[in-house]
Each structure stands twice: as C-alpha cells, then as structure tokens.
Amino acid sequence: MLSHDTLVAEHIAIATIAADLRHLAGQRPLDTVAVARTRWMLSRTLLAHLAKEDLLLYPMLQRSAVAEVANLARRSAEEIGGLSDGFKDYMRRWTSEAIARDLDGFERATQAILAALHARIRREETQLYRHIPGTAAAPTVDGGARAA
C-alpha cells in the first residue's frame, strides 16, 4: 500500500542526497570517490522510488473514479514520467572517465538532472499526493504543509 508519508520521506532522502551531489559536482578539485559514492546512493534510492511511483502510484490514480484525478495522473505521467530514463542516461553518459575529461560539463549535466528531479518532486507533492487514499494534511519535502 502506498502512503503519503512514506513517499514524502523518500523525497526527503532523495533531496538530501541530491543536495550533496550538487555540492560535490561544483567542487574543484573534484572528489571523484565522494561523487561516485553519492551518485550510487542517489541512483539506488531514486530508481527504487521512481519504480514505485511509476508502477503503483500513477496507475492507481489513473484508475480513480474521479475523472479530474484520473486525468491529472495521466497528464502528469506523460509530462514527467521520463525522469527515470533521463537519469539512467545521465548515469551511463557520465562515467568516471567522462567526468574527468569534462568537469564543467558534468556539473552542468548534474544541475540539469537534479533540477528535473526537483520539479517532479514539487509537482507530485503539490498536485498528486493529496489524491492518495487516506491522505491528510502533511509536510512536503520542503518542510511546508499542504492540505489534502
């Protein structure tokens, strides 16, 4: 069963790791060991979370008897559903060797993928999560509260 609190807790964990990666990507000299470790932690945490949302949350909301909710979930899945593939492409492209060859390019690519991730998190928390059955007002990844 999906829980709003669990999904937001996962977002908080993802945002924390993403902030660490954002900081590391801008450091010179680049700490390649810390970058590799942080990218692995983000990949593991993010891809498990995205799979849960893409395989469970979105389909559940798309089956809602409330047309507005079903349509919102369908539109959202179409607009922001490609993050998993984009993140996998980022991880494949930016190998240790590619990072060493182009530190600034790696930093730009990291900033871009993390911005897309942040946008997805904000959109899910402000538009979708309130439609999870049993959801009450709860804090979001930014620490604010939003009504159900």
Side-chain angles (χ1 to χ4, degrees), residues 70-133:
N71 290 333
L72 174 63
R74 225 178 327 280
R75 281 193 318 272
S76 296
E78 290 168 4
E79 293 171 11
I80 62 179
L83 183 61
S84 180
D85 290 338
F87 185 78
K88 288 174 188 174
D89 288 344
Y90 160 82
M91 292 296 288
R92 272 192 297 273
R93 177 169 187 241
W94 291 103
T95 63
S96 297
E97 295 79 18
I99 293 169
R101 281 192 307 272
D102 186 2
L103 295 176
D104 293 336
F106 169 69
E107 182 179 5
R108 284 189 303 274
T110 299
Q111 299 296 338
I113 196 68
L114 296 180
L117 173 59
H118 180 74
R120 178 173 170 149
I121 287 172
R122 295 304 317 138
R123 185 162 183 187
E124 286 174 345
E125 289 187 2
T126 59
Q127 295 179 16
L128 292 175
Y129 283 9
R130 65 183 171 172
H131 299 293
I132 297 171

Tab-separated table of all heavy atoms in Angstrom, residues 70-133:
chain	number	residue	atom	x	y	z
A	70	ALA	N	-8.034	11.124	-12.338
A	70	ALA	CA	-7.530	10.220	-13.368
A	70	ALA	C	-6.849	10.997	-14.491
A	70	ALA	O	-5.761	10.623	-14.949
A	70	ALA	CB	-8.663	9.362	-13.916
A	71	ASN	N	-7.462	12.085	-14.926
A	71	ASN	CA	-6.878	12.902	-15.997
A	71	ASN	C	-5.588	13.573	-15.548
A	71	ASN	O	-4.615	13.643	-16.315
A	71	ASN	CB	-7.884	13.940	-16.490
A	71	ASN	CG	-9.022	13.312	-17.259
A	71	ASN	OD1	-8.865	12.249	-17.852
A	71	ASN	ND2	-10.181	13.958	-17.243
A	72	LEU	N	-5.555	14.080	-14.319
A	72	LEU	CA	-4.346	14.696	-13.777
A	72	LEU	C	-3.211	13.678	-13.730
A	72	LEU	O	-2.084	13.972	-14.135
A	72	LEU	CB	-4.613	15.252	-12.376
A	72	LEU	CG	-3.405	15.795	-11.621
A	72	LEU	CD1	-2.804	16.990	-12.355
A	72	LEU	CD2	-3.811	16.179	-10.206
A	73	ALA	N	-3.490	12.480	-13.258
A	73	ALA	CA	-2.463	11.433	-13.183
A	73	ALA	C	-1.963	11.053	-14.574
A	73	ALA	O	-0.757	10.878	-14.785
A	73	ALA	CB	-3.009	10.209	-12.456
A	74	ARG	N	-2.856	10.952	-15.526
A	74	ARG	CA	-2.477	10.609	-16.900
A	74	ARG	C	-1.586	11.708	-17.509
A	74	ARG	O	-0.535	11.429	-18.070
A	74	ARG	CB	-3.736	10.414	-17.749
A	74	ARG	CG	-3.692	9.201	-18.626
A	74	ARG	CD	-4.964	8.964	-19.436
A	74	ARG	NE	-6.234	9.352	-18.848
A	74	ARG	CZ	-6.919	8.634	-17.944
A	74	ARG	NH1	-6.442	7.501	-17.506
A	74	ARG	NH2	-8.079	9.054	-17.484
A	75	ARG	N	-2.027	12.951	-17.364
A	75	ARG	CA	-1.232	14.075	-17.897
A	75	ARG	C	0.135	14.155	-17.217
A	75	ARG	O	1.153	14.359	-17.874
A	75	ARG	CB	-1.969	15.399	-17.701
A	75	ARG	CG	-3.061	15.672	-18.698
A	75	ARG	CD	-3.545	17.118	-18.647
A	75	ARG	NE	-3.709	17.650	-17.306
A	75	ARG	CZ	-4.814	17.551	-16.561
A	75	ARG	NH1	-5.866	16.921	-17.043
A	75	ARG	NH2	-4.880	18.079	-15.360
A	76	SER	N	0.132	13.983	-15.922
A	76	SER	CA	1.391	14.062	-15.174
A	76	SER	C	2.346	12.954	-15.580
A	76	SER	O	3.546	13.182	-15.738
A	76	SER	CB	1.120	13.991	-13.668
A	76	SER	OG	0.379	15.114	-13.258
A	77	ALA	N	1.831	11.753	-15.740
A	77	ALA	CA	2.674	10.632	-16.155
A	77	ALA	C	3.289	10.904	-17.521
A	77	ALA	O	4.470	10.610	-17.752
A	77	ALA	CB	1.856	9.344	-16.173
A	78	GLU	N	2.520	11.487	-18.423
A	78	GLU	CA	3.038	11.800	-19.760
A	78	GLU	C	4.101	12.890	-19.704
A	78	GLU	O	5.110	12.823	-20.390
A	78	GLU	CB	1.896	12.252	-20.671
A	78	GLU	CG	0.934	11.147	-21.047
A	78	GLU	CD	-0.336	11.667	-21.710
A	78	GLU	OE1	-0.444	12.886	-21.949
A	78	GLU	OE2	-1.229	10.837	-21.981
A	79	GLU	N	3.867	13.912	-18.872
A	79	GLU	CA	4.761	15.064	-18.826
A	79	GLU	C	6.035	14.817	-18.031
A	79	GLU	O	7.090	15.338	-18.387
A	79	GLU	CB	4.027	16.271	-18.245
A	79	GLU	CG	2.919	16.779	-19.137
A	79	GLU	CD	2.058	17.825	-18.466
A	79	GLU	OE1	2.425	18.319	-17.396
A	79	GLU	OE2	0.988	18.139	-19.019
A	80	ILE	N	5.938	14.053	-16.966
A	80	ILE	CA	7.104	13.908	-16.101
A	80	ILE	C	7.543	12.473	-15.913
A	80	ILE	O	8.450	12.204	-15.136
A	80	ILE	CB	6.873	14.577	-14.727
A	80	ILE	CG1	5.726	13.926	-13.978
A	80	ILE	CG2	6.686	16.064	-14.859
A	80	ILE	CD1	5.464	14.518	-12.607
A	81	GLY	N	6.953	11.572	-16.644
A	81	GLY	CA	7.258	10.163	-16.476
A	81	GLY	C	8.607	9.735	-17.015
A	81	GLY	O	9.069	8.642	-16.708
A	82	GLY	N	9.291	10.556	-17.779
A	82	GLY	CA	10.554	10.156	-18.381
A	82	GLY	C	11.776	10.388	-17.518
A	82	GLY	O	12.898	10.177	-17.972
A	83	LEU	N	11.592	10.790	-16.277
A	83	LEU	CA	12.740	11.088	-15.430
A	83	LEU	C	13.625	9.864	-15.211
A	83	LEU	O	14.846	9.974	-15.202
A	83	LEU	CB	12.283	11.663	-14.087
A	83	LEU	CG	13.407	12.074	-13.147
A	83	LEU	CD1	14.277	13.157	-13.764
A	83	LEU	CD2	12.837	12.552	-11.824
A	84	SER	N	13.027	8.723	-15.050
A	84	SER	CA	13.810	7.502	-14.825
A	84	SER	C	14.769	7.253	-15.987
A	84	SER	O	15.964	7.008	-15.779
A	84	SER	CB	12.872	6.302	-14.639
A	84	SER	OG	13.598	5.126	-14.427
A	85	ASP	N	14.276	7.334	-17.210
A	85	ASP	CA	15.135	7.128	-18.377
A	85	ASP	C	16.191	8.227	-18.476
A	85	ASP	O	17.350	7.943	-18.807
A	85	ASP	CB	14.316	7.085	-19.665
A	85	ASP	CG	13.475	5.823	-19.771
A	85	ASP	OD1	13.820	4.818	-19.107
A	85	ASP	OD2	12.476	5.844	-20.509
A	86	GLY	N	15.801	9.454	-18.195
A	86	GLY	CA	16.763	10.557	-18.235
A	86	GLY	C	17.868	10.381	-17.217
A	86	GLY	O	19.044	10.640	-17.502
A	87	PHE	N	17.508	9.922	-16.029
A	87	PHE	CA	18.516	9.699	-15.000
A	87	PHE	C	19.437	8.548	-15.382
A	87	PHE	O	20.656	8.626	-15.206
A	87	PHE	CB	17.862	9.444	-13.642
A	87	PHE	CG	18.866	9.338	-12.535
A	87	PHE	CD1	19.443	10.475	-11.997
A	87	PHE	CD2	19.258	8.098	-12.054
A	87	PHE	CE1	20.401	10.379	-10.995
A	87	PHE	CE2	20.204	7.992	-11.058
A	87	PHE	CZ	20.777	9.139	-10.516
A	88	LYS	N	18.873	7.479	-15.924
A	88	LYS	CA	19.703	6.347	-16.362
A	88	LYS	C	20.677	6.786	-17.455
A	88	LYS	O	21.849	6.387	-17.462
A	88	LYS	CB	18.831	5.201	-16.854
A	88	LYS	CG	18.094	4.490	-15.738
A	88	LYS	CD	17.127	3.458	-16.297
A	88	LYS	CE	16.250	2.870	-15.223
A	88	LYS	NZ	15.227	1.970	-15.783
A	89	ASP	N	20.208	7.630	-18.392
A	89	ASP	CA	21.087	8.153	-19.448
A	89	ASP	C	22.216	8.992	-18.845
A	89	ASP	O	23.373	8.891	-19.265
A	89	ASP	CB	20.298	8.987	-20.449
A	89	ASP	CG	19.405	8.156	-21.349
A	89	ASP	OD1	19.601	6.915	-21.427
A	89	ASP	OD2	18.485	8.739	-21.959
A	90	TYR	N	21.878	9.830	-17.873
A	90	TYR	CA	22.880	10.650	-17.177
A	90	TYR	C	23.936	9.749	-16.532
A	90	TYR	O	25.134	10.001	-16.657
A	90	TYR	CB	22.168	11.518	-16.139
A	90	TYR	CG	23.045	12.060	-15.040
A	90	TYR	CD1	23.815	13.208	-15.234
A	90	TYR	CD2	23.103	11.434	-13.799
A	90	TYR	CE1	24.621	13.702	-14.221
A	90	TYR	CE2	23.895	11.919	-12.783
A	90	TYR	CZ	24.655	13.050	-13.001
A	90	TYR	OH	25.457	13.546	-11.993
A	91	MET	N	23.505	8.707	-15.852
A	91	MET	CA	24.446	7.808	-15.181
A	91	MET	C	25.333	7.080	-16.196
A	91	MET	O	26.529	6.913	-15.966
A	91	MET	CB	23.700	6.801	-14.303
A	91	MET	CG	23.019	7.413	-13.094
A	91	MET	SD	24.165	8.145	-11.895
A	91	MET	CE	24.899	6.660	-11.207
A	92	ARG	N	24.753	6.647	-17.323
A	92	ARG	CA	25.541	5.950	-18.352
A	92	ARG	C	26.538	6.886	-19.024
A	92	ARG	O	27.680	6.524	-19.287
A	92	ARG	CB	24.610	5.355	-19.416
A	92	ARG	CG	24.106	3.976	-19.096
A	92	ARG	CD	23.426	3.327	-20.299
A	92	ARG	NE	22.241	4.037	-20.738
A	92	ARG	CZ	21.015	3.836	-20.250
A	92	ARG	NH1	20.822	2.957	-19.304
A	92	ARG	NH2	19.990	4.508	-20.701
A	93	ARG	N	26.092	8.093	-19.319
A	93	ARG	CA	26.944	9.035	-20.048
A	93	ARG	C	28.116	9.510	-19.205
A	93	ARG	O	29.234	9.647	-19.685
A	93	ARG	CB	26.126	10.239	-20.508
A	93	ARG	CG	26.993	11.270	-21.204
A	93	ARG	CD	26.187	12.343	-21.891
A	93	ARG	NE	27.100	13.175	-22.647
A	93	ARG	CZ	27.260	14.462	-22.420
A	93	ARG	NH1	26.559	15.081	-21.505
A	93	ARG	NH2	28.113	15.159	-23.134
A	94	TRP	N	27.835	9.793	-17.942
A	94	TRP	CA	28.855	10.396	-17.099
A	94	TRP	C	29.590	9.345	-16.287
A	94	TRP	O	29.431	9.221	-15.079
A	94	TRP	CB	28.245	11.503	-16.233
A	94	TRP	CG	27.857	12.658	-17.085
A	94	TRP	CD1	26.606	12.993	-17.501
A	94	TRP	CD2	28.750	13.589	-17.683
A	94	TRP	NE1	26.670	14.082	-18.328
A	94	TRP	CE2	27.967	14.467	-18.459
A	94	TRP	CE3	30.129	13.765	-17.663
A	94	TRP	CZ2	28.533	15.515	-19.189
A	94	TRP	CZ3	30.691	14.806	-18.383
A	94	TRP	CH2	29.896	15.668	-19.137
A	95	THR	N	30.427	8.604	-16.993
A	95	THR	CA	31.318	7.637	-16.361
A	95	THR	C	32.441	8.404	-15.667
A	95	THR	O	32.605	9.618	-15.883
A	95	THR	CB	31.924	6.704	-17.421
A	95	THR	OG1	32.725	7.503	-18.317
A	95	THR	CG2	30.846	5.948	-18.193
A	96	SER	N	33.232	7.707	-14.892
A	96	SER	CA	34.382	8.350	-14.227
A	96	SER	C	35.301	9.007	-15.255
A	96	SER	O	35.799	10.118	-15.036
A	96	SER	CB	35.167	7.327	-13.411
A	96	SER	OG	34.371	6.811	-12.385
A	97	GLU	N	35.504	8.328	-16.373
A	97	GLU	CA	36.381	8.867	-17.422
A	97	GLU	C	35.780	10.119	-18.062
A	97	GLU	O	36.483	11.103	-18.299
A	97	GLU	CB	36.649	7.807	-18.505
A	97	GLU	CG	37.420	6.602	-18.025
A	97	GLU	CD	36.545	5.588	-17.264
A	97	GLU	OE1	35.302	5.609	-17.383
A	97	GLU	OE2	37.139	4.784	-16.525
A	98	ALA	N	34.480	10.086	-18.337
A	98	ALA	CA	33.820	11.247	-18.945
A	98	ALA	C	33.834	12.439	-17.986
A	98	ALA	O	34.043	13.583	-18.410
A	98	ALA	CB	32.386	10.898	-19.333
A	99	ILE	N	33.632	12.174	-16.714
A	99	ILE	CA	33.670	13.250	-15.716
A	99	ILE	C	35.062	13.878	-15.692
A	99	ILE	O	35.195	15.107	-15.702
A	99	ILE	CB	33.274	12.715	-14.329
A	99	ILE	CG1	31.798	12.308	-14.328
A	99	ILE	CG2	33.548	13.762	-13.248
A	99	ILE	CD1	31.375	11.513	-13.091
A	100	ALA	N	36.098	13.047	-15.663
A	100	ALA	CA	37.476	13.552	-15.613
A	100	ALA	C	37.804	14.401	-16.839
A	100	ALA	O	38.547	15.387	-16.735
A	100	ALA	CB	38.453	12.387	-15.490
A	101	ARG	N	37.255	14.049	-18.002
A	101	ARG	CA	37.510	14.798	-19.252
A	101	ARG	C	36.778	16.127	-19.300
A	101	ARG	O	37.221	17.050	-19.977
A	101	ARG	CB	37.090	13.967	-20.470
A	101	ARG	CG	38.076	12.908	-20.885
A	101	ARG	CD	37.735	12.336	-22.264
A	101	ARG	NE	36.364	11.873	-22.377
A	101	ARG	CZ	35.944	10.642	-22.067
A	101	ARG	NH1	36.807	9.754	-21.625
A	101	ARG	NH2	34.699	10.297	-22.203
A	102	ASP	N	35.626	16.226	-18.597
A	102	ASP	CA	34.803	17.428	-18.737
A	102	ASP	C	34.085	17.742	-17.416
A	102	ASP	O	32.885	17.508	-17.266
A	102	ASP	CB	33.780	17.216	-19.861
A	102	ASP	CG	32.979	18.466	-20.184
A	102	ASP	OD1	33.217	19.538	-19.576
A	102	ASP	OD2	32.075	18.368	-21.042
A	103	LEU	N	34.838	18.280	-16.479
A	103	LEU	CA	34.274	18.581	-15.160
A	103	LEU	C	33.119	19.571	-15.245
A	103	LEU	O	32.094	19.403	-14.577
A	103	LEU	CB	35.358	19.137	-14.230
A	103	LEU	CG	36.492	18.189	-13.860
A	103	LEU	CD1	37.533	18.919	-13.017
A	103	LEU	CD2	35.964	16.972	-13.138
A	104	ASP	N	33.274	20.598	-16.068
A	104	ASP	CA	32.212	21.602	-16.187
A	104	ASP	C	30.965	21.022	-16.848
A	104	ASP	O	29.842	21.333	-16.448
A	104	ASP	CB	32.709	22.836	-16.951
A	104	ASP	CG	33.772	23.603	-16.177
A	104	ASP	OD1	33.810	23.486	-14.928
A	104	ASP	OD2	34.575	24.301	-16.818
A	105	GLY	N	31.159	20.175	-17.853
A	105	GLY	CA	30.017	19.517	-18.497
A	105	GLY	C	29.291	18.609	-17.521
A	105	GLY	O	28.058	18.555	-17.502
A	106	PHE	N	30.057	17.893	-16.710
A	106	PHE	CA	29.453	17.040	-15.680
A	106	PHE	C	28.654	17.886	-14.694
A	106	PHE	O	27.526	17.529	-14.336
A	106	PHE	CB	30.532	16.239	-14.942
A	106	PHE	CG	30.018	15.552	-13.717
A	106	PHE	CD1	29.130	14.486	-13.824
A	106	PHE	CD2	30.394	15.983	-12.455
A	106	PHE	CE1	28.629	13.856	-12.680
A	106	PHE	CE2	29.906	15.359	-11.316
A	106	PHE	CZ	29.030	14.302	-11.425
A	107	GLU	N	29.217	18.992	-14.278
A	107	GLU	CA	28.499	19.857	-13.333
A	107	GLU	C	27.194	20.365	-13.959
A	107	GLU	O	26.140	20.339	-13.314
A	107	GLU	CB	29.373	21.032	-12.909
A	107	GLU	CG	28.687	21.925	-11.892
A	107	GLU	CD	29.541	23.088	-11.429
A	107	GLU	OE1	30.653	23.293	-11.961
A	107	GLU	OE2	29.073	23.815	-10.532
A	108	ARG	N	27.226	20.799	-15.213
A	108	ARG	CA	26.008	21.288	-15.884
A	108	ARG	C	24.971	20.169	-16.013
A	108	ARG	O	23.776	20.381	-15.761
A	108	ARG	CB	26.339	21.862	-17.259
A	108	ARG	CG	26.975	23.232	-17.215
A	108	ARG	CD	27.089	23.859	-18.605
A	108	ARG	NE	27.844	23.025	-19.536
A	108	ARG	CZ	29.167	23.034	-19.667
A	108	ARG	NH1	29.904	23.831	-18.916
A	108	ARG	NH2	29.761	22.260	-20.559
A	109	ALA	N	25.428	18.984	-16.424
A	109	ALA	CA	24.509	17.843	-16.573
A	109	ALA	C	23.899	17.464	-15.223
A	109	ALA	O	22.709	17.129	-15.139
A	109	ALA	CB	25.236	16.654	-17.192
A	110	THR	N	24.705	17.511	-14.180
A	110	THR	CA	24.218	17.197	-12.839
A	110	THR	C	23.175	18.218	-12.408
A	110	THR	O	22.104	17.846	-11.909
A	110	THR	CB	25.398	17.151	-11.838
A	110	THR	OG1	26.298	16.117	-12.256
A	110	THR	CG2	24.910	16.882	-10.427
A	111	GLN	N	23.454	19.489	-12.614
A	111	GLN	CA	22.492	20.532	-12.254
A	111	GLN	C	21.176	20.342	-13.013
A	111	GLN	O	20.093	20.493	-12.443
A	111	GLN	CB	23.068	21.932	-12.533
A	111	GLN	CG	24.314	22.267	-11.754
A	111	GLN	CD	24.112	22.325	-10.254
A	111	GLN	OE1	23.013	22.505	-9.757
A	111	GLN	NE2	25.194	22.149	-9.513
A	112	ALA	N	21.276	19.988	-14.286
A	112	ALA	CA	20.069	19.823	-15.110
A	112	ALA	C	19.220	18.642	-14.640
A	112	ALA	O	17.999	18.772	-14.504
A	112	ALA	CB	20.455	19.654	-16.578
A	113	ILE	N	19.845	17.500	-14.389
A	113	ILE	CA	19.058	16.334	-13.977
A	113	ILE	C	18.475	16.557	-12.587
A	113	ILE	O	17.350	16.146	-12.300
A	113	ILE	CB	19.874	15.010	-14.072
A	113	ILE	CG1	18.935	13.797	-14.030
A	113	ILE	CG2	20.921	14.912	-12.992
A	113	ILE	CD1	18.041	13.626	-15.221
A	114	LEU	N	19.220	17.232	-11.719
A	114	LEU	CA	18.701	17.498	-10.375
A	114	LEU	C	17.566	18.523	-10.407
A	114	LEU	O	16.631	18.440	-9.609
A	114	LEU	CB	19.826	17.932	-9.437
A	114	LEU	CG	20.893	16.863	-9.179
A	114	LEU	CD1	21.967	17.406	-8.236
A	114	LEU	CD2	20.303	15.561	-8.669
A	115	ALA	N	17.611	19.466	-11.336
A	115	ALA	CA	16.505	20.418	-11.488
A	115	ALA	C	15.243	19.697	-11.959
A	115	ALA	O	14.140	19.967	-11.476
A	115	ALA	CB	16.892	21.531	-12.463
A	116	ALA	N	15.410	18.771	-12.899
A	116	ALA	CA	14.260	17.984	-13.367
A	116	ALA	C	13.693	17.135	-12.235
A	116	ALA	O	12.467	17.021	-12.078
A	116	ALA	CB	14.668	17.094	-14.541
A	117	LEU	N	14.555	16.577	-11.433
A	117	LEU	CA	14.128	15.785	-10.285
A	117	LEU	C	13.361	16.647	-9.282
A	117	LEU	O	12.287	16.266	-8.812
A	117	LEU	CB	15.348	15.143	-9.620
A	117	LEU	CG	15.117	14.420	-8.302
A	117	LEU	CD1	14.118	13.287	-8.470
A	117	LEU	CD2	16.450	13.902	-7.767
A	118	HIS	N	13.892	17.817	-8.981
A	118	HIS	CA	13.220	18.712	-8.043
A	118	HIS	C	11.841	19.110	-8.570
A	118	HIS	O	10.866	19.131	-7.811
A	118	HIS	CB	14.075	19.955	-7.773
A	118	HIS	CG	13.437	20.904	-6.827
A	118	HIS	ND1	13.347	20.661	-5.468
A	118	HIS	CD2	12.822	22.092	-7.028
A	118	HIS	CE1	12.709	21.666	-4.887
A	118	HIS	NE2	12.384	22.545	-5.809
A	119	ALA	N	11.742	19.405	-9.856
A	119	ALA	CA	10.455	19.789	-10.443
A	119	ALA	C	9.447	18.653	-10.318
A	119	ALA	O	8.272	18.883	-10.007
A	119	ALA	CB	10.642	20.187	-11.907
A	120	ARG	N	9.889	17.436	-10.550
A	120	ARG	CA	8.974	16.289	-10.417
A	120	ARG	C	8.505	16.137	-8.983
A	120	ARG	O	7.316	15.939	-8.726
A	120	ARG	CB	9.638	15.000	-10.895
A	120	ARG	CG	8.711	13.791	-10.705
A	120	ARG	CD	9.263	12.538	-11.311
A	120	ARG	NE	8.472	11.376	-10.899
A	120	ARG	CZ	8.300	10.305	-11.624
A	120	ARG	NH1	8.847	10.213	-12.813
A	120	ARG	NH2	7.582	9.291	-11.182
A	121	ILE	N	9.426	16.239	-8.038
A	121	ILE	CA	9.065	16.114	-6.627
A	121	ILE	C	8.035	17.175	-6.240
A	121	ILE	O	7.017	16.877	-5.610
A	121	ILE	CB	10.329	16.203	-5.731
A	121	ILE	CG1	11.148	14.915	-5.852
A	121	ILE	CG2	9.953	16.484	-4.281
A	121	ILE	CD1	12.507	14.970	-5.167
A	122	ARG	N	8.288	18.416	-6.606
A	122	ARG	CA	7.363	19.506	-6.250
A	122	ARG	C	5.985	19.261	-6.855
A	122	ARG	O	4.953	19.459	-6.205
A	122	ARG	CB	7.901	20.868	-6.726
A	122	ARG	CG	9.169	21.299	-6.070
A	122	ARG	CD	9.154	21.363	-4.542
A	122	ARG	NE	7.954	21.956	-4.010
A	122	ARG	CZ	7.299	21.482	-2.941
A	122	ARG	NH1	7.734	20.446	-2.297
A	122	ARG	NH2	6.201	22.075	-2.518
A	123	ARG	N	5.980	18.855	-8.102
A	123	ARG	CA	4.699	18.650	-8.776
A	123	ARG	C	3.918	17.499	-8.149
A	123	ARG	O	2.713	17.604	-7.927
A	123	ARG	CB	4.914	18.390	-10.258
A	123	ARG	CG	3.610	18.288	-11.004
A	123	ARG	CD	3.815	18.474	-12.458
A	123	ARG	NE	2.522	18.431	-13.108
A	123	ARG	CZ	2.369	18.437	-14.392
A	123	ARG	NH1	3.408	18.527	-15.180
A	123	ARG	NH2	1.166	18.373	-14.903
A	124	GLU	N	4.601	16.418	-7.851
A	124	GLU	CA	3.919	15.286	-7.229
A	124	GLU	C	3.352	15.678	-5.872
A	124	GLU	O	2.208	15.351	-5.553
A	124	GLU	CB	4.882	14.106	-7.070
A	124	GLU	CG	5.183	13.421	-8.370
A	124	GLU	CD	6.247	12.360	-8.239
A	124	GLU	OE1	6.971	12.315	-7.230
A	124	GLU	OE2	6.338	11.558	-9.197
A	125	GLU	N	4.153	16.359	-5.083
A	125	GLU	CA	3.699	16.700	-3.735
A	125	GLU	C	2.583	17.732	-3.725
A	125	GLU	O	1.719	17.697	-2.859
A	125	GLU	CB	4.877	17.172	-2.891
A	125	GLU	CG	5.805	16.037	-2.546
A	125	GLU	CD	6.888	16.437	-1.571
A	125	GLU	OE1	6.911	17.589	-1.111
A	125	GLU	OE2	7.716	15.566	-1.258
A	126	THR	N	2.596	18.652	-4.666
A	126	THR	CA	1.563	19.689	-4.659
A	126	THR	C	0.310	19.301	-5.431
A	126	THR	O	-0.763	19.818	-5.146
A	126	THR	CB	2.112	21.020	-5.226
A	126	THR	OG1	2.561	20.815	-6.565
A	126	THR	CG2	3.245	21.556	-4.360
A	127	GLN	N	0.436	18.389	-6.400
A	127	GLN	CA	-0.720	18.074	-7.228
A	127	GLN	C	-1.235	16.645	-7.079
A	127	GLN	O	-2.436	16.430	-7.126
A	127	GLN	CB	-0.391	18.328	-8.705
A	127	GLN	CG	-0.118	19.780	-8.999
A	127	GLN	CD	0.220	20.021	-10.442
A	127	GLN	OE1	-0.015	19.174	-11.306
A	127	GLN	NE2	0.772	21.177	-10.738
A	128	LEU	N	-0.346	15.683	-6.916
A	128	LEU	CA	-0.773	14.286	-6.973
A	128	LEU	C	-0.960	13.622	-5.617
A	128	LEU	O	-1.941	12.907	-5.414
A	128	LEU	CB	0.232	13.459	-7.783
A	128	LEU	CG	0.292	13.766	-9.266
A	128	LEU	CD1	1.412	12.976	-9.920
A	128	LEU	CD2	-1.038	13.452	-9.928
A	129	TYR	N	-0.029	13.810	-4.726
A	129	TYR	CA	-0.051	13.054	-3.482
A	129	TYR	C	-1.314	13.273	-2.662
A	129	TYR	O	-1.735	12.384	-1.930
A	129	TYR	CB	1.172	13.375	-2.629
A	129	TYR	CG	2.451	12.715	-3.088
A	129	TYR	CD1	2.547	12.038	-4.308
A	129	TYR	CD2	3.584	12.766	-2.302
A	129	TYR	CE1	3.730	11.453	-4.720
A	129	TYR	CE2	4.768	12.174	-2.696
A	129	TYR	CZ	4.844	11.522	-3.905
A	129	TYR	OH	6.009	10.933	-4.288
A	130	ARG	N	-1.922	14.414	-2.774
A	130	ARG	CA	-3.137	14.668	-1.982
A	130	ARG	C	-4.293	13.748	-2.389
A	130	ARG	O	-5.267	13.625	-1.675
A	130	ARG	CB	-3.548	16.120	-2.104
A	130	ARG	CG	-3.960	16.502	-3.505
A	130	ARG	CD	-4.281	17.951	-3.578
A	130	ARG	NE	-4.472	18.348	-4.954
A	130	ARG	CZ	-4.901	19.510	-5.297
A	130	ARG	NH1	-5.207	20.393	-4.383
A	130	ARG	NH2	-5.043	19.809	-6.552
A	131	HIS	N	-4.160	13.087	-3.536
A	131	HIS	CA	-5.207	12.188	-4.017
A	131	HIS	C	-4.983	10.727	-3.617
A	131	HIS	O	-5.793	9.865	-3.970
A	131	HIS	CB	-5.335	12.295	-5.542
A	131	HIS	CG	-5.700	13.677	-5.995
A	131	HIS	ND1	-6.915	14.255	-5.720
A	131	HIS	CD2	-4.975	14.601	-6.672
A	131	HIS	CE1	-6.937	15.480	-6.230
A	131	HIS	NE2	-5.771	15.711	-6.803
A	132	ILE	N	-3.908	10.465	-2.892
A	132	ILE	CA	-3.676	9.108	-2.398
A	132	ILE	C	-4.715	8.828	-1.322
A	132	ILE	O	-4.889	9.629	-0.398
A	132	ILE	CB	-2.252	8.961	-1.815
A	132	ILE	CG1	-1.205	9.187	-2.909
A	132	ILE	CG2	-2.073	7.578	-1.170
A	132	ILE	CD1	0.221	9.267	-2.383
A	133	PRO	N	-5.424	7.726	-1.435
A	133	PRO	CA	-6.458	7.428	-0.426
A	133	PRO	C	-5.892	7.461	0.996
A	133	PRO	O	-4.795	6.958	1.254
A	133	PRO	CB	-6.908	6.009	-0.798
A	133	PRO	CG	-6.620	5.915	-2.269
A	133	PRO	CD	-5.356	6.713	-2.475
